[in-house]
Amino acid sequence: MRSTITTKDWPGRTGSRTDALILEWDNEGQAYHVTVPALPGCVTHGSTREEALSRIQEAIKGHIQGLKLIGEPIPESDVDIAEVQVNVFD
């Protein structure tokens, strides 16, 4: 899954950023947990998939703003997600 932040999400800025996301359901916590592999430490959750995805966009923006404030480089969105199929009934 990928999330895109565009200039309409971040007024006064140009360009956009697309990140791969990991979205996992937690039965115990009854929430979706979202992480952004390209931005270590950028995580959030939501009680619905839509809420979690909305929150991660805000988390990405805040994470990048924080990195800029402390003078750290902004990591590229270079993570690729692949799926594999494994036959477990051999």
Side-chain angles (χ1 to χ4, degrees):
M1 162 154 300
R2 295 195 180 270
S3 172
T4 300
I5 295 176
T6 62
T7 55
K8 71 177 179 58
D9 299 315
W10 205 341
R13 303 288 178 166
T14 58
S16 66
R17 178 184 176 96
T18 300
D19 286 289
L21 308 174
I22 299 174
L23 183 68
E24 300 176 286
W25 175 252
D26 176 15
N27 273 332
E28 187 176 319
Q30 294 294 296
Y32 285 94
H33 293 268
V34 189
T35 59
V36 184
L39 298 172
C42 187
V43 300
T44 193
H45 69 280
S47 57
T48 65
R49 188 174 193 272
E50 293 76 21
E51 179 181 46
L53 292 174
S54 175
R55 286 182 173 182
I56 199 64
Q57 288 190 346
E58 293 301 316
I60 291 168
K61 287 187 265 186
H63 194 90
I64 291 171
Q65 286 174 338
L67 290 172
K68 285 182 175 188
L69 282 174
I70 61 173
E72 291 291 322
I74 309 303
E76 293 294 321
S77 305
D78 61 358
V79 176
D80 188 25
I81 304 295
E83 294 182 15
V84 297
Q85 183 175 1
V86 178
N87 187 352
V88 295
F89 299 108
D90 283 342

